[in-house]
Amino acid sequence: YRLKKQYEAVSAIFFCNDLAVDSVLREFVLSCYRRKIQVEVLFHEYQRKQIKPEDTAAVLSRMLDYILMGQESISAKGNEGEDHEGGTVKVQGAFVKNQLILSARLIPAEGAAVPILKIRKRDFNPWLKKYNGLIYVMRKCDVLQIVVGMDAC
């Protein structure tokens, strides 16, 4: 109860009704704003059902850490004074056919290439095993996407 009151006092920015996930999203959005990254968060169909809130927050946090590492890699590789800061990140959470689906997409600024990151699936193993989940990583010339699905029922 006390945590909820403190959280409400801190900010009027809410993305979903799950305090653990909402706090991860809020910190991520603030970090992106400081780095001039546009952010779109879509969690209106988010339901975690039987998945513990701290587990959902841990998975989402790891996904978003990889997205930020990707953006930092792009910024560090700017060619001959080119500014590759910015870009867009799209974060989504939804409940689809008894699955909690979390998705994070990094779309680099124009002229920047998608970074090559070693995304270690074992970083997600405790939750993938616990909730019979899977992870999908897609790299195309203009998008890096990480999707995690976990059984929610």
Side-chain angles (χ1 to χ4, degrees), residues 31-98:
S31 180
C32 286
Y33 285 152
R34 285 190 295 271
R35 297 170 184 194
K36 300 175 185 162
I37 302 169
Q38 295 179 17
V39 184
E40 296 176 22
V41 177
L42 184 60
F43 265 68
H44 71 275
E45 293 184 26
Y46 165 79
Q47 297 176 39
R48 61 178 166 75
K49 298 285 185 179
Q50 302 298 320
I51 299 175
K52 291 182 179 179
E54 60 270 19
D55 291 342
T56 305
V59 169
L60 183 61
S61 180
R62 279 168 178 70
M63 292 172 66
L64 298 178
D65 285 347
Y66 276 115
I67 293 295
L68 286 177
M69 283 191 291
Q71 180 58 35
E72 288 171 6
S73 173
I74 292 169
S75 296
K77 289 182 181 177
N79 295 333
E80 298 173 15
E82 288 183 43
D83 181 10
H84 288 301
E85 279 190 343
T88 303
V89 174
K90 297 182 180 187
V91 184
Q92 295 178 300
F95 180 75
V96 180
K97 295 186 179 181
N98 297 328

Side-chain angles (χ1 to χ4, degrees), residues 7-150:
Y7 189 76
E8 288 173 353
V10 170
S11 175
I13 302 172
F14 286 95
F15 299 102
C16 65
N17 60 0
D18 185 329
L19 291 178
V21 169
D22 198 71
S23 65
V24 169
L25 289 169
R26 183 178 175 278
E27 287 304 312
F28 178 73
V29 167
L30 292 174
S31 180
C32 286
Y33 285 152
R34 285 190 295 271
R35 297 170 184 194
K36 300 175 185 162
I37 302 169
Q38 295 179 17
V39 184
E40 296 176 22
V41 177
L42 184 60
F43 265 68
H44 71 275
E45 293 184 26
Y46 165 79
Q47 297 176 39
R48 61 178 166 75
K49 298 285 185 179
Q50 302 298 320
I51 299 175
K52 291 182 179 179
E54 60 270 19
D55 291 342
T56 305
V59 169
L60 183 61
S61 180
R62 279 168 178 70
M63 292 172 66
L64 298 178
D65 285 347
Y66 276 115
I67 293 295
L68 286 177
M69 283 191 291
Q71 180 58 35
E72 288 171 6
S73 173
I74 292 169
S75 296
K77 289 182 181 177
N79 295 333
E80 298 173 15
E82 288 183 43
D83 181 10
H84 288 301
E85 279 190 343
T88 303
V89 174
K90 297 182 180 187
V91 184
Q92 295 178 300
F95 180 75
V96 180
K97 295 186 179 181
N98 297 328
Q99 292 271 319
L100 171 61
I101 308 294
L102 300 172
S103 172
R105 294 175 62 193
L106 170 61
I107 304 164
E110 192 171 329
V114 172
I116 296 177
L117 291 176
K118 183 170 184 164
I119 297 175
R120 299 181 316 200
K121 294 180 181 181
R122 72 173 179 242
D123 288 348
F124 298 89
N125 273 347
W127 302 281
L128 297 180
K129 288 178 181 176
K130 185 174 183 179
Y131 298 106
N132 193 29
L134 58 94
I135 184 169
Y136 172 74
V137 178
M138 179 190 73
R139 284 182 195 90
K140 287 190 176 179
C141 57
D142 60 346
V143 176
L144 168 65
Q145 183 173 17
I146 305 168
V147 179
V148 173
M150 299 181 288

